[in-house]
Amino acid sequence: MKLQRKNMLRASALGALVVSGALVLTACGSDDNTKTAEGSPKASAPAAGDIKCADAKGKLLASGSSAQKNAVELWIKNYMAACSGVEVNYKSSSSGEGIVAFNQGTVGFAGSDSALKPEQVEESKKVCTGGQGIDLPMVGGPIALGFNVAGVDKLNLDAATIANIFNDKIKKWDDEAIKKLNPGVTLPSTAIQAFHRSDDSGTTENLTKYLKAAAPDAWTAEPAKKWAAPGGQAASGSAGVAAQVKQVDGAIGYFELSFASAQNIKTVDLNTGASAPVKASGENASKAIAAAKIAGTGSDLALKLDYTTKAEGAYPLTLVTYEVVCDKGNKAETLPTVKSFLNYTASDAGQKVLLENGYAPIPAEINAKVREVINSLG
């Protein structure tokens, strides 16, 4: 289903609210989520009236995508402040691990940077009694290509060059292909240290979908959660990749933008064929997400992104993180909390948290459908 022009305008308007001084999160793994990396207060929690606790109670376990970790931690903090007696615990691991946990019935929902595959849906029917797992788009955002090259503050790359960096064909930062995209920039002969995820990752799958679509001659491997290219170095989770890029001269890696913001890691501007290279930002990711199509059927709202867009200001290296839930057959003891918590994350207040922290909100028309599905969960 093609999104209407009205929806595209809404999403662009939402994205425009992201400003250069947007609040960012503290370094991944910190228990102190009350201040940004600069030490200024974060967005205040929503008023209690914005969160409907309903019959929520007890403990809700969830796990999965590390790309949405920073957003989920803020959501949980706000939600638990409003709903006393409720504990929501999200284990940030990887999309692959989250889906495994969901299909084993050990979590109330899972976070995943890619939609369920047919075999995963079939497996989910064992735990979703009378139903199946479905995908609810909840968090949008650019996949940033963070780099650490001494003396280089700005870097433009196109899809083919990125592919050849990560498949180990371009080995030095002063390679002619990189120099051609960066006239006037003095590039060192430093060896490129390309970092990828060691764990099965929806972020990896989205990066490789982009490379396969935008540079098929350079990236011949099929998109997958598991890294398939030769060479490079591996690190666990988005936080692990970001930490390596921060520490290693000559490094480049991929992770959700908030990890770059939190650690002041410089990010690549994408040469998409538009009139100017496009920065990784929530606003520019929103422009790309607004052109997505709903590929799922029924209650499943999986999206198909256009990775080859040349629209002005649209950043195509973008992911959407889904919350994976049972449409029917959720556990009775956790269903009220699942619905209550996800209703908050999909609310205007919950999506505003995304805007304020460098993520991209889900376009309004799609988000309205997400709320309808959440209320129908059984």
Side-chain angles (χ1 to χ4, degrees):
M1 148 180 176
K2 184 174 287 187
L3 297 181
Q4 301 175 2
R5 176 177 174 80
K6 177 175 67 174
N7 186 48
M8 296 174 69
L9 294 174
R10 286 177 180 169
S12 294
L14 279 172
L17 295 175
V18 179
V19 294
S20 60
L23 297 171
V24 296
L25 298 172
T26 54
C28 187
S30 169
D31 291 326
D32 180 7
N33 286 325
T34 61
K35 295 182 182 298
T36 67
E38 294 78 21
S40 57
K42 286 187 181 301
S44 57
D50 294 332
I51 296 176
K52 309 298 182 185
C53 302
D55 298 321
K57 60 184 178 180
K59 181 181 291 188
L60 173 62
L61 300 179
S63 70
S65 164
S66 64
Q68 70 171 15
K69 172 184 183 292
N70 293 335
V72 174
E73 285 184 348
L74 272 180
W75 280 335
I76 288 173
K77 181 179 178 181
N78 292 346
Y79 181 79
M80 288 175 57
C83 300
S84 60
V86 180
E87 180 182 348
V88 182
N89 188 307
Y90 182 80
K91 178 185 176 184
S92 172
S93 51
S94 69
S95 299
E97 290 181 46
I99 291 173
V100 168
F102 177 77
N103 280 340
Q104 290 176 343
T106 60
V107 295
F109 70 89
S112 177
D113 305 342
S114 56
L116 291 167
K117 292 182 168 32
E119 61 270 21
Q120 293 169 331
V121 172
E122 193 62 31
E123 189 177 356
S124 74
K125 294 177 182 179
K126 299 174 184 177
V127 295
C128 301
T129 308
Q132 65 180 46
I134 57 171
D135 303 287
L136 300 179
M138 199 68 70
V139 181
I143 300 174
L145 290 163
F147 69 94
N148 179 1
V149 183
V152 179
D153 293 322
K154 184 176 175 59
L155 186 66
N156 300 326
L157 296 175
D158 60 15
T161 306
I162 294 166
N164 285 327
I165 286 172
F166 279 100
N167 67 20
D168 208 31
K169 291 183 178 178
I170 294 178
K171 299 178 182 292
K172 301 281 188 179
W173 279 110
D174 62 351
D175 187 276
E176 288 301 320
I178 301 176
K179 288 168 68 175
K180 184 177 179 180
L181 293 166
N182 295 275
V185 177
T186 301
L187 294 161
S189 60
T190 307
I192 294 174
Q193 306 287 336
F195 286 90
H196 57 264
R197 291 280 291 271
S198 60
D199 47 333
D200 286 4
S201 162
T203 310
T204 296
E205 185 170 20
N206 278 278
L207 170 69
T208 54
K209 281 181 179 178
Y210 163 73
L211 295 176
K212 183 69 172 178
D217 293 338
W219 192 266
T220 57
E222 288 302 312
K225 289 186 175 70
K226 188 173 183 64
W227 188 257
Q233 302 179 59
S236 178
S238 293
V241 174
Q244 291 298 317
V245 172
K246 178 72 173 179
Q247 295 166 12
V248 177
D249 184 28
I252 186 170
Y254 58 93
F255 32 80
E256 201 281 327
L257 180 61
S258 69
F259 291 92
S261 301
Q263 299 187 52
N264 294 317
I265 297 171
K266 295 182 284 289
T267 60
V268 169
D269 295 349
L270 288 185
N271 186 327
T272 64
S275 63
V278 184
K279 293 185 178 300
S281 72
E283 176 184 2
N284 294 340
S286 285
K287 291 176 182 177
I289 296 171
K293 300 176 182 178
I294 294 179
T297 58
S299 297
D300 188 274
L301 300 178
L303 301 179
K304 181 176 177 59
L305 299 173
D306 180 5
Y307 295 104
T308 62
T309 181
K310 296 181 181 179
E312 296 297 325
Y315 186 87
L317 181 46
T318 297
L319 63 77
V320 171
T321 293
Y322 301 95
E323 311 311 337
V324 177
V325 295
C326 295
D327 57 356
K328 302 296 178 186
N330 289 278
K331 294 179 180 178
E333 62 269 26
T334 56
L335 176 60
T337 308
V338 168
K339 294 176 72 171
S340 172
F341 180 70
L342 294 183
N343 262 316
Y344 162 56
T345 67
S347 70
D348 290 340
Q351 292 291 296
K352 184 181 178 184
V353 168
L354 301 182
L355 281 170
E356 291 170 342
N357 290 280
Y359 290 93
I362 300 303
E365 284 191 17
I366 295 176
N367 199 40
K369 295 180 182 297
V370 170
R371 295 179 196 177
E372 289 177 9
V373 173
I374 291 169
N375 288 324
S376 73
L377 297 179

